[in-house]
Amino acid sequence: MDQVQDKLLVLRSKLDQIPALQQAEEKTKVPKEYLVVGGGALLIILLFFGTGAGLLCSLVGFVYPAFQSLKCIEDKNKGDDVQWLVYWVIFSFFGILESFANFLLYWIPFYYAFKLAFLMWAFLPQTKGAKFLYDSFLKDFLKKENRIESAMADAKKVRTVG
């Protein structure tokens, strides 16, 4: 039990830096570490068992990356552009997949938990998974295969002829 209390004290010291949690603690009279642990447990339960898993996954996969993308647009340094552009391609791929195959995805156990873990791996700055995917797979594929550019050129020819 002492180990749990020690971990809660460490968590509390880290949470002291977040003013919103201080306000929530004052209003609810519940210690902020319990609020965070309880909220995290609720999110995990919703993600694994709840009907709101798709919404939760979409919100987590959109809010932070959208904020970072807007910061990236305003930043003079263009180093993170590839990270966020590839991330949005991945996010869009999941959206298209879910719109066409939602009835099949329903039968995959813990689909939304895996999707959330993958999206977080792709967008977190500690992992930069989207950039890793681009550097490891997409860059070489797109350089060797100019299918997209040739398809666009063919479409332009068809449009001007027609």
Side-chain angles (χ1 to χ4, degrees), residues 4-107:
V4 173
Q5 290 299 328
D6 291 343
K7 296 292 182 185
L8 286 173
L9 285 174
V10 169
L11 178 62
R12 182 170 186 79
S13 67
K14 290 181 181 181
L15 296 176
D16 283 338
Q17 300 170 7
I18 304 172
L21 288 176
Q22 183 65 32
Q23 293 171 352
E25 182 180 40
E26 290 170 2
K27 287 182 181 180
T28 62
K29 306 289 189 245
V30 176
K32 61 184 124 197
E33 59 271 22
Y34 293 152
L35 289 173
V36 169
V37 170
L42 180 65
L43 287 177
I44 289 171
I45 289 169
L46 278 176
L47 185 62
F48 281 105
F49 305 111
T51 57
L55 176 64
L56 174 68
C57 207
S58 294
L59 282 174
V60 170
F62 177 78
V63 173
Y64 177 78
F67 175 72
Q68 290 299 324
S69 295
L70 291 173
K71 279 179 45 179
C72 188
I73 290 170
E74 298 296 323
D75 192 10
K76 302 274 189 249
N77 182 6
K78 298 299 179 189
D80 286 347
D81 289 2
V82 171
Q83 161 73 14
W84 294 114
L85 288 171
V86 174
Y87 173 79
W88 288 114
V89 169
I90 293 167
F91 187 78
S92 300
F93 172 75
F94 274 111
I96 291 169
L97 176 73
E98 288 172 357
S99 67
F100 287 112
N102 197 22
F103 63 94
L104 292 175
L105 298 175
Y106 176 77
W107 294 101

Side-chain angles (χ1 to χ4, degrees), residues 57 87 90-91 93-94 111-124 127 129-130 133:
C57 207
Y87 173 79
I90 293 167
F91 187 78
F93 172 75
F94 274 111
Y111 166 73
Y112 288 109
F114 291 126
K115 176 185 172 186
L116 181 64
F118 180 75
L119 288 177
M120 288 181 70
W121 172 79
F123 75 66
L124 284 174
T127 58
L133 288 176

